[in-house]
PDB file of all heavy atoms in Angstrom:
ATOM      1  N   PHE A   1     -17.302  -0.651  20.836  1.00 96.00           N
ATOM      2  CA  PHE A   1     -18.062  -1.875  20.787  1.00 96.00           C
ATOM      3  C   PHE A   1     -19.593  -1.607  20.622  1.00 96.00           C
ATOM      4  O   PHE A   1     -20.257  -2.456  20.024  1.00 96.00           O
ATOM      5  CB  PHE A   1     -17.782  -2.648  22.058  1.00 96.00           C
ATOM      6  CG  PHE A   1     -18.118  -4.144  22.011  1.00 96.00           C
ATOM      7  CD1 PHE A   1     -18.776  -4.733  20.998  1.00 96.00           C
ATOM      8  CD2 PHE A   1     -17.889  -4.904  23.238  1.00 96.00           C
ATOM      9  CE1 PHE A   1     -19.019  -6.126  21.024  1.00 96.00           C
ATOM     10  CE2 PHE A   1     -18.237  -6.231  23.226  1.00 96.00           C
ATOM     11  CZ  PHE A   1     -18.791  -6.855  22.133  1.00 96.00           C
ATOM     12  N   THR A   2     -20.119  -0.552  21.283  1.00 97.00           N
ATOM     13  CA  THR A   2     -21.462  -0.334  21.221  1.00 97.00           C
ATOM     14  C   THR A   2     -22.021   0.425  19.993  1.00 97.00           C
ATOM     15  O   THR A   2     -23.147   0.638  19.803  1.00 97.00           O
ATOM     16  CB  THR A   2     -21.895   0.524  22.445  1.00 97.00           C
ATOM     17  OG1 THR A   2     -21.068   1.662  22.430  1.00 97.00           O
ATOM     18  CG2 THR A   2     -21.723  -0.242  23.784  1.00 97.00           C
ATOM     19  N   ASP A   3     -21.033   0.722  19.036  1.00 97.00           N
ATOM     20  CA  ASP A   3     -21.432   1.349  17.797  1.00 97.00           C
ATOM     21  C   ASP A   3     -21.838   0.306  16.781  1.00 97.00           C
ATOM     22  O   ASP A   3     -20.983  -0.382  16.298  1.00 97.00           O
ATOM     23  CB  ASP A   3     -20.221   2.216  17.312  1.00 97.00           C
ATOM     24  CG  ASP A   3     -20.597   2.970  16.150  1.00 97.00           C
ATOM     25  OD1 ASP A   3     -21.733   2.773  15.455  1.00 97.00           O
ATOM     26  OD2 ASP A   3     -19.674   3.743  15.582  1.00 97.00           O
ATOM     27  N   TYR A   4     -23.104   0.274  16.353  1.00 97.00           N
ATOM     28  CA  TYR A   4     -23.460  -0.737  15.392  1.00 97.00           C
ATOM     29  C   TYR A   4     -23.301  -0.368  13.955  1.00 97.00           C
ATOM     30  O   TYR A   4     -23.671  -1.085  13.005  1.00 97.00           O
ATOM     31  CB  TYR A   4     -24.986  -1.133  15.674  1.00 97.00           C
ATOM     32  CG  TYR A   4     -25.020  -2.278  16.617  1.00 97.00           C
ATOM     33  CD1 TYR A   4     -24.771  -2.159  17.951  1.00 97.00           C
ATOM     34  CD2 TYR A   4     -25.261  -3.627  16.202  1.00 97.00           C
ATOM     35  CE1 TYR A   4     -24.852  -3.204  18.849  1.00 97.00           C
ATOM     36  CE2 TYR A   4     -25.427  -4.715  16.978  1.00 97.00           C
ATOM     37  CZ  TYR A   4     -25.095  -4.546  18.384  1.00 97.00           C
ATOM     38  OH  TYR A   4     -25.187  -5.614  19.160  1.00 97.00           O
ATOM     39  N   SER A   5     -22.777   0.871  13.658  1.00 97.00           N
ATOM     40  CA  SER A   5     -22.536   1.260  12.300  1.00 97.00           C
ATOM     41  C   SER A   5     -21.312   0.295  11.813  1.00 97.00           C
ATOM     42  O   SER A   5     -20.486  -0.061  12.563  1.00 97.00           O
ATOM     43  CB  SER A   5     -22.067   2.566  12.212  1.00 97.00           C
ATOM     44  OG  SER A   5     -21.422   2.911  10.991  1.00 97.00           O
ATOM     45  N   MET A   6     -21.416  -0.019  10.511  1.00 98.00           N
ATOM     46  CA  MET A   6     -20.451  -0.998   9.923  1.00 98.00           C
ATOM     47  C   MET A   6     -19.158  -0.194   9.512  1.00 98.00           C
ATOM     48  O   MET A   6     -18.234  -0.760   9.006  1.00 98.00           O
ATOM     49  CB  MET A   6     -21.100  -1.778   8.907  1.00 98.00           C
ATOM     50  CG  MET A   6     -22.047  -2.777   9.205  1.00 98.00           C
ATOM     51  SD  MET A   6     -21.401  -3.952  10.513  1.00 98.00           S
ATOM     52  CE  MET A   6     -20.114  -4.636   9.742  1.00 98.00           C
ATOM     53  N   GLU A   7     -19.204   1.165   9.574  1.00 97.00           N
ATOM     54  CA  GLU A   7     -18.049   1.954   9.082  1.00 97.00           C
ATOM     55  C   GLU A   7     -16.797   1.528   9.914  1.00 97.00           C
ATOM     56  O   GLU A   7     -16.885   1.548  11.059  1.00 97.00           O
ATOM     57  CB  GLU A   7     -18.388   3.389   9.222  1.00 97.00           C
ATOM     58  CG  GLU A   7     -17.350   4.320   8.550  1.00 97.00           C
ATOM     59  CD  GLU A   7     -17.279   4.093   7.035  1.00 97.00           C
ATOM     60  OE1 GLU A   7     -18.318   3.845   6.473  1.00 97.00           O
ATOM     61  OE2 GLU A   7     -16.212   4.214   6.558  1.00 97.00           O
ATOM     62  N   GLY A   8     -15.755   1.172   9.199  1.00 97.00           N
ATOM     63  CA  GLY A   8     -14.526   0.800   9.894  1.00 97.00           C
ATOM     64  C   GLY A   8     -14.502  -0.626  10.397  1.00 97.00           C
ATOM     65  O   GLY A   8     -13.509  -1.032  10.993  1.00 97.00           O
ATOM     66  N   ARG A   9     -15.606  -1.384  10.162  1.00 97.00           N
ATOM     67  CA  ARG A   9     -15.705  -2.796  10.654  1.00 97.00           C
ATOM     68  C   ARG A   9     -15.543  -3.830   9.525  1.00 97.00           C
ATOM     69  O   ARG A   9     -16.078  -3.546   8.433  1.00 97.00           O
ATOM     70  CB  ARG A   9     -16.985  -2.944  11.297  1.00 97.00           C
ATOM     71  CG  ARG A   9     -17.262  -2.191  12.648  1.00 97.00           C
ATOM     72  CD  ARG A   9     -18.391  -2.708  13.358  1.00 97.00           C
ATOM     73  NE  ARG A   9     -18.647  -1.898  14.587  1.00 97.00           N
ATOM     74  CZ  ARG A   9     -17.959  -2.120  15.718  1.00 97.00           C
ATOM     75  NH1 ARG A   9     -17.084  -3.083  15.755  1.00 97.00           N
ATOM     76  NH2 ARG A   9     -18.252  -1.392  16.747  1.00 97.00           N
ATOM     77  N   THR A  10     -15.024  -4.903   9.896  1.00 98.00           N
ATOM     78  CA  THR A  10     -14.890  -6.015   8.966  1.00 98.00           C
ATOM     79  C   THR A  10     -14.027  -5.698   7.716  1.00 98.00           C
ATOM     80  O   THR A  10     -13.822  -4.460   7.476  1.00 98.00           O
ATOM     81  CB  THR A  10     -16.209  -6.772   8.551  1.00 98.00           C
ATOM     82  OG1 THR A  10     -16.933  -5.893   7.509  1.00 98.00           O
ATOM     83  CG2 THR A  10     -17.178  -6.788   9.870  1.00 98.00           C
ATOM     84  N   TYR A  11     -13.771  -6.728   6.959  1.00 98.00           N
ATOM     85  CA  TYR A  11     -12.918  -6.442   5.712  1.00 98.00           C
ATOM     86  C   TYR A  11     -13.725  -5.570   4.727  1.00 98.00           C
ATOM     87  O   TYR A  11     -13.125  -4.900   3.843  1.00 98.00           O
ATOM     88  CB  TYR A  11     -12.565  -7.745   5.056  1.00 98.00           C
ATOM     89  CG  TYR A  11     -13.704  -8.331   4.253  1.00 98.00           C
ATOM     90  CD1 TYR A  11     -13.823  -8.187   2.835  1.00 98.00           C
ATOM     91  CD2 TYR A  11     -14.698  -9.093   4.821  1.00 98.00           C
ATOM     92  CE1 TYR A  11     -14.860  -8.722   2.087  1.00 98.00           C
ATOM     93  CE2 TYR A  11     -15.718  -9.719   4.115  1.00 98.00           C
ATOM     94  CZ  TYR A  11     -15.790  -9.435   2.772  1.00 98.00           C
ATOM     95  OH  TYR A  11     -16.854  -9.904   2.037  1.00 98.00           O
ATOM     96  N   ARG A  12     -15.049  -5.516   4.898  1.00 98.00           N
ATOM     97  CA  ARG A  12     -15.852  -4.762   3.899  1.00 98.00           C
ATOM     98  C   ARG A  12     -15.641  -3.199   4.054  1.00 98.00           C
ATOM     99  O   ARG A  12     -15.773  -2.455   3.117  1.00 98.00           O
ATOM    100  CB  ARG A  12     -17.262  -5.087   4.025  1.00 98.00           C
ATOM    101  CG  ARG A  12     -17.422  -6.663   3.830  1.00 98.00           C
ATOM    102  CD  ARG A  12     -18.799  -7.133   4.095  1.00 98.00           C
ATOM    103  NE  ARG A  12     -19.705  -6.872   2.958  1.00 98.00           N
ATOM    104  CZ  ARG A  12     -21.003  -6.651   3.079  1.00 98.00           C
ATOM    105  NH1 ARG A  12     -21.529  -6.517   4.182  1.00 98.00           N
ATOM    106  NH2 ARG A  12     -21.768  -6.419   1.961  1.00 98.00           N
ATOM    107  N   TYR A  13     -15.385  -2.765   5.299  1.00 98.00           N
ATOM    108  CA  TYR A  13     -15.316  -1.316   5.597  1.00 98.00           C
ATOM    109  C   TYR A  13     -14.068  -0.910   6.366  1.00 98.00           C
ATOM    110  O   TYR A  13     -13.830   0.251   6.652  1.00 98.00           O
ATOM    111  CB  TYR A  13     -16.624  -0.840   6.258  1.00 98.00           C
ATOM    112  CG  TYR A  13     -17.728  -0.703   5.344  1.00 98.00           C
ATOM    113  CD1 TYR A  13     -18.772  -1.682   5.461  1.00 98.00           C
ATOM    114  CD2 TYR A  13     -17.859   0.314   4.441  1.00 98.00           C
ATOM    115  CE1 TYR A  13     -19.946  -1.637   4.619  1.00 98.00           C
ATOM    116  CE2 TYR A  13     -18.969   0.326   3.622  1.00 98.00           C
ATOM    117  CZ  TYR A  13     -19.943  -0.606   3.722  1.00 98.00           C
ATOM    118  OH  TYR A  13     -21.027  -0.606   2.840  1.00 98.00           O
ATOM    119  N   MET A  14     -13.229  -1.862   6.708  1.00 97.00           N
ATOM    120  CA  MET A  14     -11.921  -1.543   7.484  1.00 97.00           C
ATOM    121  C   MET A  14     -10.854  -1.040   6.452  1.00 97.00           C
ATOM    122  O   MET A  14     -10.460  -1.801   5.593  1.00 97.00           O
ATOM    123  CB  MET A  14     -11.517  -2.770   8.305  1.00 97.00           C
ATOM    124  CG  MET A  14     -10.357  -2.589   9.149  1.00 97.00           C
ATOM    125  SD  MET A  14      -9.928  -4.074  10.038  1.00 97.00           S
ATOM    126  CE  MET A  14      -8.323  -3.624  10.752  1.00 97.00           C
ATOM    127  N   ARG A  15     -10.327   0.091   6.694  1.00 96.00           N
ATOM    128  CA  ARG A  15      -9.275   0.667   5.854  1.00 96.00           C
ATOM    129  C   ARG A  15      -7.912   0.373   6.332  1.00 96.00           C
ATOM    130  O   ARG A  15      -6.960   0.401   5.585  1.00 96.00           O
ATOM    131  CB  ARG A  15      -9.505   2.067   5.508  1.00 96.00           C
ATOM    132  CG  ARG A  15     -10.839   2.389   4.887  1.00 96.00           C
ATOM    133  CD  ARG A  15     -11.079   3.862   4.528  1.00 96.00           C
ATOM    134  NE  ARG A  15     -12.314   4.080   3.914  1.00 96.00           N
ATOM    135  CZ  ARG A  15     -12.630   3.884   2.535  1.00 96.00           C
ATOM    136  NH1 ARG A  15     -11.561   3.544   1.809  1.00 96.00           N
ATOM    137  NH2 ARG A  15     -13.705   4.100   2.071  1.00 96.00           N
ATOM    138  N   GLU A  16      -7.736   0.159   7.665  1.00 96.00           N
ATOM    139  CA  GLU A  16      -6.368  -0.173   8.153  1.00 96.00           C
ATOM    140  C   GLU A  16      -6.028  -1.502   7.871  1.00 96.00           C
ATOM    141  O   GLU A  16      -6.783  -2.453   7.685  1.00 96.00           O
ATOM    142  CB  GLU A  16      -6.491   0.106   9.691  1.00 96.00           C
ATOM    143  CG  GLU A  16      -6.785   1.526  10.169  1.00 96.00           C
ATOM    144  CD  GLU A  16      -6.800   1.611  11.681  1.00 96.00           C
ATOM    145  OE1 GLU A  16      -5.763   1.603  12.304  1.00 96.00           O
ATOM    146  OE2 GLU A  16      -7.857   1.772  12.118  1.00 96.00           O
ATOM    147  N   GLU A  17      -4.651  -1.775   7.790  1.00 97.00           N
ATOM    148  CA  GLU A  17      -4.162  -3.031   7.436  1.00 97.00           C
ATOM    149  C   GLU A  17      -4.327  -4.006   8.712  1.00 97.00           C
ATOM    150  O   GLU A  17      -3.886  -3.657   9.740  1.00 97.00           O
ATOM    151  CB  GLU A  17      -2.712  -3.054   7.041  1.00 97.00           C
ATOM    152  CG  GLU A  17      -2.114  -4.403   6.590  1.00 97.00           C
ATOM    153  CD  GLU A  17      -0.652  -4.295   6.273  1.00 97.00           C
ATOM    154  OE1 GLU A  17       0.250  -4.150   7.160  1.00 97.00           O
ATOM    155  OE2 GLU A  17      -0.414  -4.242   5.039  1.00 97.00           O
ATOM    156  N   PRO A  18      -4.941  -5.221   8.399  1.00 98.00           N
ATOM    157  CA  PRO A  18      -5.132  -6.113   9.542  1.00 98.00           C
ATOM    158  C   PRO A  18      -3.898  -6.856   9.921  1.00 98.00           C
ATOM    159  O   PRO A  18      -3.034  -6.939   9.083  1.00 98.00           O
ATOM    160  CB  PRO A  18      -6.267  -7.008   9.054  1.00 98.00           C
ATOM    161  CG  PRO A  18      -6.011  -7.060   7.547  1.00 98.00           C
ATOM    162  CD  PRO A  18      -5.511  -5.641   7.275  1.00 98.00           C
ATOM    163  N   LEU A  19      -4.040  -7.602  11.020  1.00 97.00           N
ATOM    164  CA  LEU A  19      -2.887  -8.657  11.199  1.00 97.00           C
ATOM    165  C   LEU A  19      -3.044  -9.817  10.285  1.00 97.00           C
ATOM    166  O   LEU A  19      -2.078 -10.158   9.723  1.00 97.00           O
ATOM    167  CB  LEU A  19      -3.028  -9.126  12.764  1.00 97.00           C
ATOM    168  CG  LEU A  19      -2.004 -10.036  13.170  1.00 97.00           C
ATOM    169  CD1 LEU A  19      -0.560  -9.440  13.135  1.00 97.00           C
ATOM    170  CD2 LEU A  19      -2.286 -10.546  14.599  1.00 97.00           C
ATOM    171  N   TYR A  20      -4.249 -10.349  10.149  1.00 98.00           N
ATOM    172  CA  TYR A  20      -4.547 -11.425   9.220  1.00 98.00           C
ATOM    173  C   TYR A  20      -5.965 -11.033   8.642  1.00 98.00           C
ATOM    174  O   TYR A  20      -6.885 -10.820   9.329  1.00 98.00           O
ATOM    175  CB  TYR A  20      -4.638 -12.759   9.920  1.00 98.00           C
ATOM    176  CG  TYR A  20      -3.581 -13.235  10.636  1.00 98.00           C
ATOM    177  CD1 TYR A  20      -3.457 -13.338  12.085  1.00 98.00           C
ATOM    178  CD2 TYR A  20      -2.230 -13.539  10.034  1.00 98.00           C
ATOM    179  CE1 TYR A  20      -2.357 -13.678  12.834  1.00 98.00           C
ATOM    180  CE2 TYR A  20      -1.137 -13.855  10.757  1.00 98.00           C
ATOM    181  CZ  TYR A  20      -1.127 -13.994  12.056  1.00 98.00           C
ATOM    182  OH  TYR A  20      -0.106 -14.359  12.767  1.00 98.00           O
ATOM    183  N   PRO A  21      -6.027 -11.153   7.264  1.00 98.00           N
ATOM    184  CA  PRO A  21      -7.188 -10.624   6.672  1.00 98.00           C
ATOM    185  C   PRO A  21      -8.336 -11.741   6.496  1.00 98.00           C
ATOM    186  O   PRO A  21      -8.048 -12.995   6.613  1.00 98.00           O
ATOM    187  CB  PRO A  21      -6.695 -10.262   5.243  1.00 98.00           C
ATOM    188  CG  PRO A  21      -5.592 -11.268   4.982  1.00 98.00           C
ATOM    189  CD  PRO A  21      -4.919 -11.341   6.347  1.00 98.00           C
ATOM    190  N   PHE A  22      -9.465 -11.365   6.257  1.00 98.00           N
ATOM    191  CA  PHE A  22     -10.637 -12.207   6.128  1.00 98.00           C
ATOM    192  C   PHE A  22     -10.349 -13.150   4.954  1.00 98.00           C
ATOM    193  O   PHE A  22      -9.758 -12.737   3.918  1.00 98.00           O
ATOM    194  CB  PHE A  22     -11.892 -11.403   5.771  1.00 98.00           C
ATOM    195  CG  PHE A  22     -13.099 -12.210   5.467  1.00 98.00           C
ATOM    196  CD1 PHE A  22     -13.907 -12.760   6.490  1.00 98.00           C
ATOM    197  CD2 PHE A  22     -13.320 -12.581   4.103  1.00 98.00           C
ATOM    198  CE1 PHE A  22     -15.020 -13.513   6.057  1.00 98.00           C
ATOM    199  CE2 PHE A  22     -14.528 -13.354   3.736  1.00 98.00           C
ATOM    200  CZ  PHE A  22     -15.322 -13.802   4.776  1.00 98.00           C
ATOM    201  N   GLY A  23     -10.735 -14.420   5.049  1.00 98.00           N
ATOM    202  CA  GLY A  23     -10.540 -15.392   4.029  1.00 98.00           C
ATOM    203  C   GLY A  23      -9.184 -15.989   3.943  1.00 98.00           C
ATOM    204  O   GLY A  23      -8.790 -16.847   3.087  1.00 98.00           O
ATOM    205  N   PHE A  24      -8.224 -15.530   4.734  1.00 98.00           N
ATOM    206  CA  PHE A  24      -6.782 -15.906   4.739  1.00 98.00           C
ATOM    207  C   PHE A  24      -6.505 -17.246   5.399  1.00 98.00           C
ATOM    208  O   PHE A  24      -7.124 -17.671   6.384  1.00 98.00           O
ATOM    209  CB  PHE A  24      -5.939 -14.984   5.434  1.00 98.00           C
ATOM    210  CG  PHE A  24      -4.456 -15.369   5.584  1.00 98.00           C
ATOM    211  CD1 PHE A  24      -3.623 -15.358   4.368  1.00 98.00           C
ATOM    212  CD2 PHE A  24      -3.868 -15.647   6.800  1.00 98.00           C
ATOM    213  CE1 PHE A  24      -2.282 -15.817   4.554  1.00 98.00           C
ATOM    214  CE2 PHE A  24      -2.600 -15.912   6.918  1.00 98.00           C
ATOM    215  CZ  PHE A  24      -1.796 -16.002   5.696  1.00 98.00           C
ATOM    216  N   GLY A  25      -5.650 -18.011   4.749  1.00 98.00           N
ATOM    217  CA  GLY A  25      -5.107 -19.294   5.344  1.00 98.00           C
ATOM    218  C   GLY A  25      -4.106 -19.874   4.423  1.00 98.00           C
ATOM    219  O   GLY A  25      -4.243 -19.921   3.161  1.00 98.00           O
ATOM    220  N   LEU A  26      -2.975 -20.365   5.057  1.00 98.00           N
ATOM    221  CA  LEU A  26      -1.882 -20.903   4.168  1.00 98.00           C
ATOM    222  C   LEU A  26      -2.065 -22.373   3.998  1.00 98.00           C
ATOM    223  O   LEU A  26      -2.921 -22.963   4.627  1.00 98.00           O
ATOM    224  CB  LEU A  26      -0.548 -20.609   4.930  1.00 98.00           C
ATOM    225  CG  LEU A  26      -0.113 -19.114   5.023  1.00 98.00           C
ATOM    226  CD1 LEU A  26       1.102 -19.109   5.966  1.00 98.00           C
ATOM    227  CD2 LEU A  26       0.104 -18.521   3.693  1.00 98.00           C
ATOM    228  N   SER A  27      -1.258 -22.913   3.133  1.00 98.00           N
ATOM    229  CA  SER A  27      -1.273 -24.363   2.764  1.00 98.00           C
ATOM    230  C   SER A  27       0.151 -24.942   2.705  1.00 98.00           C
ATOM    231  O   SER A  27       1.068 -24.134   2.710  1.00 98.00           O
ATOM    232  CB  SER A  27      -1.883 -24.622   1.506  1.00 98.00           C
ATOM    233  OG  SER A  27      -1.921 -25.916   0.993  1.00 98.00           O
ATOM    234  N   TYR A  28       0.313 -26.233   2.795  1.00 98.00           N
ATOM    235  CA  TYR A  28       1.628 -26.833   2.552  1.00 98.00           C
ATOM    236  C   TYR A  28       1.799 -26.815   1.005  1.00 98.00           C
ATOM    237  O   TYR A  28       3.018 -27.017   0.686  1.00 98.00           O
ATOM    238  CB  TYR A  28       1.690 -28.161   3.204  1.00 98.00           C
ATOM    239  CG  TYR A  28       1.503 -28.325   4.696  1.00 98.00           C
ATOM    240  CD1 TYR A  28       0.978 -29.414   5.242  1.00 98.00           C
ATOM    241  CD2 TYR A  28       1.922 -27.281   5.389  1.00 98.00           C
ATOM    242  CE1 TYR A  28       0.920 -29.502   6.661  1.00 98.00           C
ATOM    243  CE2 TYR A  28       1.834 -27.307   6.747  1.00 98.00           C
ATOM    244  CZ  TYR A  28       1.289 -28.470   7.413  1.00 98.00           C
ATOM    245  OH  TYR A  28       1.187 -28.444   8.776  1.00 98.00           O
ATOM    246  N   ALA A  29       0.817 -26.850   0.224  1.00 98.00           N
ATOM    247  CA  ALA A  29       0.964 -26.775  -1.120  1.00 98.00           C
ATOM    248  C   ALA A  29       1.143 -25.320  -1.612  1.00 98.00           C
ATOM    249  O   ALA A  29       0.968 -24.314  -0.918  1.00 98.00           O
ATOM    250  CB  ALA A  29      -0.198 -27.428  -1.905  1.00 98.00           C
ATOM    251  N   THR A  30       1.460 -25.024  -2.912  1.00 98.00           N
ATOM    252  CA  THR A  30       1.493 -23.739  -3.448  1.00 98.00           C
ATOM    253  C   THR A  30       0.531 -23.705  -4.682  1.00 98.00           C
ATOM    254  O   THR A  30       0.413 -24.798  -5.359  1.00 98.00           O
ATOM    255  CB  THR A  30       2.922 -23.366  -3.987  1.00 98.00           C
ATOM    256  OG1 THR A  30       3.406 -24.344  -4.868  1.00 98.00           O
ATOM    257  CG2 THR A  30       3.832 -23.241  -2.755  1.00 98.00           C
ATOM    258  N   PHE A  31      -0.028 -22.660  -4.890  1.00 98.00           N
ATOM    259  CA  PHE A  31      -1.126 -22.502  -5.980  1.00 98.00           C
ATOM    260  C   PHE A  31      -0.813 -21.240  -6.736  1.00 98.00           C
ATOM    261  O   PHE A  31      -0.148 -20.307  -6.311  1.00 98.00           O
ATOM    262  CB  PHE A  31      -2.475 -22.416  -5.351  1.00 98.00           C
ATOM    263  CG  PHE A  31      -2.794 -23.508  -4.516  1.00 98.00           C
ATOM    264  CD1 PHE A  31      -2.579 -23.557  -3.102  1.00 98.00           C
ATOM    265  CD2 PHE A  31      -3.402 -24.746  -5.045  1.00 98.00           C
ATOM    266  CE1 PHE A  31      -2.996 -24.640  -2.300  1.00 98.00           C
ATOM    267  CE2 PHE A  31      -3.750 -25.787  -4.306  1.00 98.00           C
ATOM    268  CZ  PHE A  31      -3.538 -25.821  -2.902  1.00 98.00           C
ATOM    269  N   SER A  32      -1.345 -21.254  -8.077  1.00 98.00           N
ATOM    270  CA  SER A  32      -1.325 -20.061  -8.868  1.00 98.00           C
ATOM    271  C   SER A  32      -2.732 -19.871  -9.537  1.00 98.00           C
ATOM    272  O   SER A  32      -3.402 -20.829  -9.774  1.00 98.00           O
ATOM    273  CB  SER A  32      -0.254 -20.145  -9.980  1.00 98.00           C
ATOM    274  OG  SER A  32      -0.636 -21.149 -10.952  1.00 98.00           O
ATOM    275  N   TYR A  33      -3.026 -18.649  -9.703  1.00 98.00           N
ATOM    276  CA  TYR A  33      -4.265 -18.313 -10.301  1.00 98.00           C
ATOM    277  C   TYR A  33      -3.890 -17.564 -11.636  1.00 98.00           C
ATOM    278  O   TYR A  33      -3.026 -16.768 -11.713  1.00 98.00           O
ATOM    279  CB  TYR A  33      -5.070 -17.269  -9.410  1.00 98.00           C
ATOM    280  CG  TYR A  33      -5.563 -17.862  -8.096  1.00 98.00           C
ATOM    281  CD1 TYR A  33      -4.797 -18.218  -7.147  1.00 98.00           C
ATOM    282  CD2 TYR A  33      -6.932 -18.034  -8.031  1.00 98.00           C
ATOM    283  CE1 TYR A  33      -5.323 -18.808  -5.943  1.00 98.00           C
ATOM    284  CE2 TYR A  33      -7.484 -18.635  -6.809  1.00 98.00           C
ATOM    285  CZ  TYR A  33      -6.700 -18.932  -5.781  1.00 98.00           C
ATOM    286  OH  TYR A  33      -7.175 -19.483  -4.606  1.00 98.00           O
ATOM    287  N   ARG A  34      -4.815 -17.833 -12.731  1.00 97.00           N
ATOM    288  CA  ARG A  34      -4.536 -17.092 -13.899  1.00 97.00           C
ATOM    289  C   ARG A  34      -5.778 -17.095 -14.774  1.00 97.00           C
ATOM    290  O   ARG A  34      -6.766 -17.857 -14.500  1.00 97.00           O
ATOM    291  CB  ARG A  34      -3.395 -17.831 -14.722  1.00 97.00           C
ATOM    292  CG  ARG A  34      -3.709 -19.273 -15.123  1.00 97.00           C
ATOM    293  CD  ARG A  34      -2.601 -19.782 -16.110  1.00 97.00           C
ATOM    294  NE  ARG A  34      -1.338 -19.982 -15.355  1.00 97.00           N
ATOM    295  CZ  ARG A  34      -0.982 -21.042 -14.729  1.00 97.00           C
ATOM    296  NH1 ARG A  34      -1.780 -22.169 -14.747  1.00 97.00           N
ATOM    297  NH2 ARG A  34       0.178 -21.251 -14.076  1.00 97.00           N
ATOM    298  N   GLY A  35      -5.776 -16.221 -15.779  1.00 95.00           N
ATOM    299  CA  GLY A  35      -6.744 -16.224 -16.762  1.00 95.00           C
ATOM    300  C   GLY A  35      -8.193 -15.988 -16.392  1.00 95.00           C
ATOM    301  O   GLY A  35      -9.118 -16.563 -16.904  1.00 95.00           O
TER     302      GLY A  35
END
């Protein structure tokens, strides 16, 4: 906790798989991305 280096922290530097990733959230709708 007292280490202020960003190495290993947040989605930007964390290499391990998270439980839920940054930016994530489901919907009742479904979407597709293309092009």
Side-chain angles (χ1 to χ4, degrees):
F1 196 0
T2 53
D3 182 359
Y4 269 74
S5 168
M6 292 307 297
E7 192 62 37
R9 293 192 181 279
T10 77
Y11 79 95
R12 303 172 84 210
Y13 285 105
M14 179 179 174
R15 296 183 181 277
E16 298 178 73
E17 184 179 75
L19 183 62
Y20 302 113
F22 176 88
F24 172 70
L26 298 174
S27 173
Y28 296 152
T30 57
F31 300 95
S32 69
Y33 290 74
R34 63 173 68 91

